Amino acid sequence: MSNNKVRKQIHLAAHFPGVNNTTVWSDPDSHSQIDFDSFVHLARTAERGLFDFFFLAEGLRLREHRGRIFDLDVVGRPDTFTVLEALAGVTTHLGLAGTINTTFNEPFELAKQFATLDHLSGGRAAWNAVTSSDAFTGENFRRGGYLEHAERYIRAAEVVDATRALWDSWPERALLVDRERGIFAHPAPTVRIDSDQFDIEGPFVLPRSPQGYPVQLQAGDSDEGREFGAAKADAIFSRHGELEDGQQFYADVKGRLAKYGRARDDLKILPAAAFVLGDSRDDAEERARHIRLQQVGPQTAIAFLEQVWGRDLSGYDPDGPLPDVEPADNVDITRGRVRHAKDPRAVAEAWRAKAEAEGLSIRELIIEVTARQQFVGSPREVAAEIDRYVQNDAADGFILVPHLTPGGLDEFVEKVVPELQERGSFRTEYTGTTLREHLGLRHPHESSEGVRAS
């Protein structure tokens, strides 16, 4: 347990269960992943549960496997900004976070879109900035299709810096109008930015938004990604869910903050996590097994294996042993998703060893290796486990990924949130109006001493 006298407060966000391998779209309780009612249901549930924000992933291209659209992509991928701006009108406190790519978008347009969302929502916008070197996805966005790995974070840093320069170009209080002559005097100076990636010449089109900058999320886990997060991000969407692994990641990234003049509380670590509730632990574990079998059906298990093996494995029994053939050099068997390994032979060797040691079939193995962190048990047990992770500095909270659209969060809000509140680790009401206030983040123009720059 943490030595802090005051309990750390848990931060929670809701990931819309759309196009990802957690979603069980075949369940009778699963509904549309593109109807606006589905987005509204999850957002309002999260707000009723006093969550910090609603998180929407981005889909730039339908993914293909062996030349065909596979898995959940058939449901479609609505535009992120359109959905979040519409949700701003049906929520009052909930933060609105969207994943938007820095490789395929231009800073001026991004600055305008996020400033608009922050204005429309009264200061609730967040940007999960991601990179991509996927030429298949990039074919629709940029000549040449992609950037080399070394260039991705260079461009990402330049994009974020450029958007901030545009947002900062308006003074804090700066709407100047000559009422007598009907002249609007633009207060913002011209912004000139020249780099290898882009040339910008302002002035920008909007005054500063309520948060100064939208909350900056980041999800990269490489050393470059961690450094980028320490320098630029307000929160990291981490994949490090297990306690010890999470503590190591937490300490590593928080330890990088000081060289950028940042305090530990200036960055939140929020791993993704699933949850399964039951009347008892045994009941919850049985439900969890059933859900995992729904998430990884026989065909899905074979498709996952094919992504590593790089070859057609449709003749293999998903309930049988792993193939005895070696992986082929065919990284294009799956396009638009990054699940194939850089060294497929090493992965195949590790998977064979695991399957042999634990007596796992193909499907059982894929269920094991694709599982994300999840909390399983009674509501009281799940609340206690989430609290344990946060109080022991493995996370500052979690981005919860339900397995059903749109009602998968309902039970958590009804049963787990009250348990967290009873422990004194979760708010009982919103005390601020902006997402920065929900997350306990200072204004981007405010020093650690609380002084606001003009």
Side-chain angles (χ1 to χ4, degrees):
M1 186 69 66
S2 171
N3 291 325
N4 294 338
K5 292 181 180 180
V6 178
R7 296 184 70 77
K8 286 176 63 178
Q9 291 299 292
I10 295 168
H11 296 284
L12 294 176
H15 188 295
F16 183 77
V19 183
N20 62 67
N21 62 299
T22 301
T23 307
V24 180
W25 62 269
S26 59
D27 191 288
D29 290 329
S30 178
H31 300 294
S32 173
Q33 289 148 334
I34 58 174
D35 285 353
F36 186 53
D37 285 348
S38 292
F39 295 104
V40 171
H41 183 108
L42 185 76
R44 285 180 168 167
T45 301
E47 189 164 69
R48 188 171 70 253
L50 305 175
F51 278 40
D52 292 277
F53 61 91
F54 170 101
F55 183 83
L56 189 60
E58 180 185 52
L60 295 178
R61 185 162 182 174
L62 298 182
R63 296 170 294 196
E64 295 180 7
H65 181 70
R66 291 172 52 198
R68 295 180 293 180
I69 305 300
F70 180 77
D71 206 357
L72 302 173
D73 281 66
V74 294
V75 306
R77 291 168 174 258
D79 177 70
T80 300
F81 282 111
T82 304
V83 173
L84 295 181
E85 286 164 358
L87 289 176
V90 296
T91 55
T92 57
H93 287 83
L94 187 69
L96 302 167
T99 300
I100 299 292
N101 198 289
T102 59
T103 308
F104 305 133
N105 291 286
E106 296 301 311
F108 195 95
E109 184 177 26
L110 288 172
K112 182 174 69 173
Q113 290 170 315
F114 275 109
T116 299
L117 177 60
D118 210 42
H119 277 294
L120 290 178
S121 64
R124 296 185 280 137
W127 175 16
N128 181 37
V130 297
T131 67
S132 175
S133 60
D134 180 3
F136 172 72
T137 300
E139 286 173 354
N140 291 329
F141 294 94
R142 61 181 295 132
R143 186 172 297 174
Y146 72 105
L147 289 175
E148 296 292 347
H149 186 275
E151 298 178 61
R152 285 165 28 192
Y153 282 105
I154 294 174
R155 178 178 171 88
E158 289 185 0
V159 167
V160 171
D161 286 344
T163 57
R164 292 179 175 181
L166 290 162
W167 292 325
D168 282 343
S169 65
W170 284 67
E172 190 84 21
R173 299 173 182 84
L175 192 60
L176 304 179
V177 179
D178 186 330
R179 295 183 180 276
E180 291 184 2
R181 293 186 293 169
I183 296 174
F184 172 71
H186 198 297
T190 296
V191 178
R192 289 186 175 87
I193 302 172
D194 299 304
S195 75
D196 293 337
Q197 298 293 335
F198 40 75
D199 299 308
I200 298 172
E201 185 168 343
F204 191 48
V205 294
L206 286 169
R208 287 191 186 184
S209 64
Q211 294 187 110
Y213 307 151
V215 168
Q216 189 80 56
L217 307 179
Q218 195 265 343
D221 189 49
S222 64
D223 188 68
E224 297 99 320
R226 295 182 186 206
E227 204 66 28
F228 179 82
K232 307 290 185 185
D234 296 306
I236 290 183
F237 184 18
S238 164
R239 65 179 180 82
H240 296 273
E242 298 300 328
L243 183 66
E244 185 175 343
D245 188 31
Q247 288 173 321
Q248 291 173 355
F249 179 81
Y250 191 99
D252 176 57
V253 177
K254 297 256 184 175
R256 300 177 188 231
L257 293 170
K259 63 182 169 183
Y260 298 106
R262 307 182 69 194
R264 284 172 64 87
D265 287 340
D266 289 339
L267 177 68
K268 307 300 180 185
I269 307 298
L270 304 173
F275 62 90
V276 181
L277 304 177
D279 294 333
S280 65
R281 181 176 294 276
D282 288 345
D283 178 43
E285 287 178 349
E286 180 58 35
R287 290 184 67 186
R289 282 190 289 271
H290 175 67
I291 290 168
R292 290 299 287 144
L293 287 170
Q294 289 179 297
Q295 290 168 331
V296 184
Q299 291 180 321
T300 299
I302 293 297
F304 267 79
L305 203 68
E306 289 174 336
Q307 291 168 24
V308 172
W309 258 254
R311 60 170 78 234
D312 180 0
L313 301 176
S314 58
Y316 285 83
D317 180 2
D319 293 319
L322 270 65
D324 53 7
V325 297
E326 291 303 309
D329 294 321
N330 179 18
V331 296
D332 289 331
I333 192 168
T334 293
R335 304 198 299 170
R337 81 169 79 200
V338 184
R339 286 206 186 105
H340 54 265
K342 292 182 179 179
D343 187 355
R345 288 175 177 80
V347 174
E349 183 178 347
W351 284 9
R352 281 183 178 133
K354 181 178 178 65
E356 182 176 352
E358 300 178 28
L360 302 176
S361 67
I362 291 174
R363 189 180 182 191
E364 290 168 337
L365 174 74
I366 298 301
I367 285 174
E368 288 283 326
V369 299
T370 61
R372 66 168 73 245
Q373 163 69 14
Q374 67 176 355
F375 297 102
V376 179
S378 69
R380 183 176 293 273
E381 289 169 332
V382 167
E385 190 70 353
I386 289 174
D387 196 34
R388 183 170 75 94
Y389 274 61
V390 172
Q391 302 307 327
N392 285 281
D393 290 345
D396 292 306
F398 291 91
I399 298 178
L400 298 180
V401 188
H403 72 281
L404 289 178
T405 307
L409 192 65
D410 295 10
E411 191 177 18
F412 186 96
V413 167
E414 292 163 5
K415 297 179 180 180
V416 179
V417 166
E419 295 284 350
L420 294 172
Q421 292 169 331
E422 186 176 325
R423 298 177 72 86
S425 303
F426 193 68
R427 65 171 63 94
T428 56
E429 62 180 350
Y430 288 112
T431 56
T433 59
T434 71
L435 179 53
R436 286 189 177 277
E437 290 172 321
H438 299 343
L439 290 168
L441 299 169
R442 54 189 168 94
H443 191 281
H445 302 111
E446 184 178 288
S447 70
S448 56
E449 290 76 29
V451 178
R452 177 78 67 86
S454 61

